[in-house]
């Protein structure tokens, strides 16, 4: 799996993105769990709450948004879902990382390799065959974090760790808040209609918990296996560097044009025009980066972050 570390220019901060865009199409979802005789009392209570939440969700699943009580509840649920930060879905993908699956052990089949070498003996020299043999045996990471080659490994590692520490604080805070709200939202069961408040609150608890695990895993393994996980990307550097150069050139051209033709000090209108032009350049370069590296959904991901963090 490819992971991309890059800077959101408008927000002057770094973020992560993964190439598998299907992760972002997930909707509000809770799955039922079965209980056994050995299930603890705490788990029994949690399972009961979860089942109530699932029943409430199913009641409004087919309702028409905005029509009737269930429709209004569904519209409210859709609105709250739209406010979930897209980075959360990224971080959740690292929640199942552990020491066994973060690095894939190399394997080698001697009989197949010997036959393979015979077939390629007249096509490749000995050095290339030895290189292929080495690659087959080498341990490989289950994912790699690509970063612009101009920032270097140490800064890339530091930027990702800063992001993880910030997100750990954020998800710890909201996991605590949503956990404390469970009794309150459970009490809403007495109200008419499905208890979507409990359903959504449990869903957010689970989301924050998974994202928190992902942050901790990524923070730990990026320290322990940083040299293997982080990989410089010349293509990312070229796209992002081109973006910065175009912004600077555009700004200089706008100022020079007005200074030469009108001989006036740049006004607020000029600054606004230049800013809008720079934003267009940024958008074009995010699209270029997405197309060049074949990263679906990158542009939409950046715009959604900018939209949520601007409000």
């Amino acid at each position: 799996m490819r992971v991309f570390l890059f800077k959101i220019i408008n927000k002057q901060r770094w973020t992560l993105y993964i190439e598998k865009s299907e992760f972002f199409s997930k909707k509000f979802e809770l799955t039922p769990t079965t209980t056994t005789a050995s299930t603890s009392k705490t788990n029994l209570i949690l399972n009961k709450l979860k089942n109530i939440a699932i029943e409430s969700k199913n009641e409004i699943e087919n309702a028409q948004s905005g029509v009737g009580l269930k429709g209004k509840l569904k519209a409210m649920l859709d609105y709250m879902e739209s406010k979930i930060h897209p980075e959360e879905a990224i971080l959740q993908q690292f929640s199942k990382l552990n020491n066994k699956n973060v690095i894939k052990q190399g394997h080698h089949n001697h009989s197949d390799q010997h036959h393979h070498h015979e077939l390629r003996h007249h096509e490749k020299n000995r050095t290339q065959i030895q290189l292929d043999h080495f690659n087959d045996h080498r341990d490989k990471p289950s994912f790699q974090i690509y970063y612009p080659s101009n920032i270097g490994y140490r800064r890339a590692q530091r930027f990702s760790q800063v992001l993880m520490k910030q997100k750990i604080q954020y998800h710890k805070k909201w996991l605590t808040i949503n956990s404390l709200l469970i009794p309150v939202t459970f009490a809403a069961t007495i109200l008419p209609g499905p208890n979507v408040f409990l359903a959504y609150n449990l869903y957010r608890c689970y989301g924050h918990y998974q994202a928190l695990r992902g942050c901790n895993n990524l923070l730990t393994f990026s320290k322990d296996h940083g040299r293997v996980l982080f990989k410089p990307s010349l293509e990312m550097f070229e796209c992002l560097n081109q973006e910065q150069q175009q912004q600077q050139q555009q700004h200089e051209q706008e100022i020079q044009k007005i200074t030469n033709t009108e001989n006036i000090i740049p006004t607020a209108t000029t600054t606004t025009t230049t800013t809008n032009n720079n934003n267009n350049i940024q958008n074009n370069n995010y699209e270029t980066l997405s197309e060049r590296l074949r990263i679906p959904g990158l542009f939409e991901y950046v715009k959604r972050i900018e939209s949520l963090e601007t409000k």
Side-chain angles (χ1 to χ4, degrees), residues 220-248:
T220 299
F221 293 123
S222 64
K223 290 180 180 178
D224 297 343
H225 306 285
R227 291 290 181 182
V228 179
L229 296 179
F230 287 89
K231 187 174 182 180
S233 170
L234 179 61
E235 291 178 316
M236 290 184 69
F237 162 66
E238 290 174 348
C239 289
L240 297 176
N241 188 54
Q242 179 185 14
E243 176 182 333
Q244 294 173 359
Q245 290 178 350
Q246 288 179 340
Q247 287 179 18
Q248 184 176 359

Side-chain angles (χ1 to χ4, degrees), residues 4-15:
F4 300 93
L5 174 69
F6 63 95
K7 188 175 185 179
I8 302 178
I9 303 298
N10 286 346
K11 297 302 169 185
Q12 290 298 306
R13 73 173 186 86
W14 292 77
T15 187

